[in-house]
Amino acid sequence: DDEGLPASELGTQVHQLLAGAVVADPDTEALRLADNFRNSALGRRAAKATRLEREFDFLMVVDGLVIRGQVDLWFEDAAELVIVDYKTDAVNLAEAHRRALYYALQLRLYGMAVEQLAGRAPDRAFLHFLRPNAVVEVDLGLSLIESPSQVAREFQEAQSSLQFSLNEGDHCHACPFFRDLCPATGG
């Protein structure tokens, strides 16, 4: 949307609103997206939680790699310990489910951070794509292929050798260099 706020500013406003901060002159789209979460079943459940942390900063070490991040929301109620990550990506419902795959590792790392503080592993994790108002559950179980520890080791190896694999994604299709003289491939 070329007429609204830049995406990063919109995301910042939405996160501030959902954290309970006062936002001077908030954008109407930011208000609408924040309300999408607040009015959702997940948002109503979080509002009633016995323990709740918003914009939770963490710093942890995974296989010698220091990881810093911020969990949008985690809460505990009588039933479960839950992680929620808000996304303001401009996607439709079908795209939200595909995009969730890109964020799965991020939520697994958040799960590790929350476990260190809470003393137990989270039961569930959700991505709430606010534009299509779609909630997608993310499996927190470690896979043999993509565990946070394995990814941390691969990143350390890539950083040491300065050899990074190209992660081609949907964003590449809009690039004028796509499948031609891509600077990332050395072509």
Side-chain angles (χ1 to χ4, degrees):
D1 188 324
D2 296 331
E3 297 177 22
L5 285 179
S8 62
E9 178 61 25
L10 177 68
T12 297
Q13 281 194 16
V14 169
H15 280 79
Q16 288 173 337
L17 290 165
L18 288 171
V22 175
V23 176
D25 194 28
D27 186 80
T28 56
E29 179 68 355
L31 291 168
R32 183 185 75 78
L33 295 178
D35 283 342
N36 278 353
F37 178 75
R38 287 188 195 111
N39 296 326
S40 71
L42 194 56
R44 291 189 307 274
R45 183 177 170 197
K48 296 176 186 174
T50 55
R51 183 175 186 187
L52 180 119
E53 294 285 338
R54 296 180 187 278
E55 302 302 321
F56 171 72
D57 293 313
F58 69 87
L59 185 68
M60 66 180 179
V61 177
V62 177
D63 283 342
L65 181 66
V66 177
I67 299 174
R68 180 180 65 84
Q70 188 174 64
V71 180
D72 293 343
L73 170 68
W74 69 270
F75 66 89
E76 190 169 14
D77 60 17
E80 298 176 308
L81 177 59
V82 178
I83 297 172
V84 180
D85 195 51
Y86 320 119
K87 296 297 180 191
T88 57
D89 300 26
V91 295
N92 62 34
L93 184 59
E95 292 167 335
H97 286 274
R98 283 193 303 273
R99 185 74 55 92
L101 298 173
Y102 292 111
Y103 294 117
L105 176 62
Q106 177 185 358
L107 266 70
R108 287 185 189 118
L109 289 168
Y110 288 178
M112 291 172 68
V114 169
E115 180 177 10
Q116 287 181 6
L117 179 75
R120 70 181 188 97
D123 298 292
R124 299 173 83 187
F126 298 95
L127 292 161
H128 191 145
F129 289 89
L130 299 170
R131 289 178 192 255
N133 203 11
V135 177
V136 179
E137 186 166 4
V138 173
D139 181 7
L140 291 176
L142 298 177
S143 74
L144 294 174
I145 297 170
E146 185 189 77
S147 73
S149 295
Q150 178 63 29
V151 171
R153 281 192 296 277
E154 289 171 5
F155 180 76
Q156 286 177 309
E157 291 168 12
Q159 198 166 19
S160 295
S161 67
L162 297 178
Q163 297 293 316
F164 297 91
S165 336
L166 182 61
N167 187 9
E168 186 178 301
D170 293 339
H171 60 280
C172 293
H173 297 269
C175 178
F177 296 109
F178 183 63
R179 303 264 164 104
D180 193 17
L181 296 176
C182 176
T185 62

